[in-house]
Amino acid sequence: MFTGAGTAQAAGTLPCDIYGSAGTSCVAAHSTTRAMYSSYSGRLYQVKRASDGARADVGTLSAGGYANAAAQDSFCSGTTCVINVIYDQSPRHNDLFIEPAGTAGPANSGAPADALPVTAGGHHVYGVSFSGRMGYRHTAASGVAVNGQAEGMYMVTSGTHVNDRCCFDYGNAEIEIADTGNGHMDAINFGTECWFAPCHGSGPWVQADLENGLFQSNLGYSTNSSNTGNRSPFVTALLKNNGQNYFAIKDGNAQSGALTTQYSGPEPNRPGYSPMQQEGSIVLGTGGDNSNGSIGSFFEGVMTSGLPTDAADNAVQSDIVSVRYGGPSPAAGGTLTPGSTLSLRATTACCTTRYIRHQDDNALTSVVTSGSSALDKADSSWIVRRGLANSSCVSFESRNYPGDFLRHFDFRLLRQPMDGSAVFRADATFCPTPGKSGQGTSFASYNYPDRFIRHYDNAVYIASNGGTHTFDSATSWAADVSWAVSAPWTP
């Protein structure tokens, strides 16, 4: 296991310390970013290397401290890694392993270990980025609520990396990887899937996956018109359930402020939910039957024995805010140095006020000025990463959709979540060269080296200098593939 010197958090004030002091001890504590107990100095997660299948555990920098992500970077240098195991920090040892096939989905893959770099407590760490067919599970976990016992749980996730597919969950699930009936799950769900209409706003919402429904209230649908979703970059999602006649849903901005109670009241008014019939397994990233079409982000989460008090929940939220989750430590803006944030401006004479931005998942060019909206500015800002397929090249991560990258598909550039595959890594890697027009920088596709990022009719492609496609036109090709690396509109 990798360890090293680092800064611990305040003793006795971490989430499982808080819940334990309130009489609701953690029975599961998972995080790839930090310790959940002030005394914990063990393993956080295990990575598996693609080049030789070797495995290594990543631990904390110190007791009660943050993950030693530098050790992962060293171990995975020159190749790729997936997260193979997420260790349980509680004495129960409910470690999460890559989930096998279930009745609703094929076997899962491990999440790419480097897809979600963030900072916590000022330290470089990695979250877990799920992009479909990725999930983890512990079957028949120790101490987790069963048959109507009370429990609570929270996770820190992200409101910028979500979809409407089933089911990005963390919590209590079936022993068999199958739908075994109403009330057999008790898990936090986060996404934009509205199971019971009406839902207010566009989400994503924190919901209760109690099996055969994502519940926002005892009626299923939302009874809270102010709950329109939470699109914060870092979101605290919380669910607690006494297993008999009460459950509550809360959310909050994990970077600031307090929790908001979105629902607090009776169990669903349908057969099977009162009392609950939980089975006591733990799932992360999929539904109980392995419905695994969802995407999502995970930074930390715990499950408790017993119903936590509101005071304990509030204290945990205060601790989460103190972590100061944020984007990776930036390099100087407007450069191609990994960690820098930049905007890419067209240099063709017609189009020097246009920048590459994403819109509806597509890459295109738009006019962006100091008077543009905050959304336009954020959509046209990108974080430079080491090339996902070749570290001597670069990849461009969305500034406002962490874990999503600029990649080509059928020669068109798109913004998509990194799925960890070799194809995606190659499609999202671009190698800088001096601008073909004599100014700026041109970016060759890693896996189509004779094709360069080009704007054509305001869309963005990888294009060759002459070819069968209209966007391969030799007319103004050199100018169209030359870009000014500029200061970011959104630092």
Side-chain angles (χ1 to χ4, degrees), residues 348-418:
T348 312
C350 64
C351 309
T352 56
T353 58
R354 303 188 74 91
Y355 293 79
I356 294 180
R357 59 89 56 90
H358 64 83
Q359 189 174 68
D360 297 328
D361 301 335
N362 293 310
L364 47 85
T365 64
S366 288
V367 174
V368 184
T369 68
S370 58
S372 295
S373 70
L375 178 63
D376 289 345
K377 291 178 178 178
D379 286 353
S380 60
S381 299
W382 306 89
I383 302 170
V384 181
R385 301 293 182 212
R386 297 186 307 271
L388 295 175
N390 184 325
S391 60
S392 64
C393 300
V394 297
S395 295
F396 297 108
E397 183 181 11
S398 168
R399 173 67 176 78
N400 53 349
Y401 282 76
D404 284 19
F405 286 79
L406 200 62
R407 63 88 59 98
H408 66 80
F409 181 82
D410 198 21
F411 304 116
R412 180 76 190 267
L413 263 66
L414 309 171
R415 188 211 79 217
Q416 289 187 345
M418 203 262 248

Side-chain angles (χ1 to χ4, degrees), residues 5-38:
T7 303
Q9 299 159 90
T13 60
L14 303 193
C16 287
D17 302 324
I18 294 166
Y19 281 133
S21 296
T24 49
S25 297
C26 290
V27 293
H30 302 108
S31 178
T32 58
T33 64
R34 64 169 182 146
M36 297 285 98
Y37 297 82
S38 59

Side-chain angles (χ1 to χ4, degrees), residues 163-183:
N163 68 1
D164 61 356
R165 302 289 301 279
C166 184
C167 288
F168 188 70
D169 290 350
Y170 174 66
N172 196 323
E174 294 95 340
I175 292 175
E176 182 184 358
I177 306 178
D179 177 352
T180 56
N182 293 358

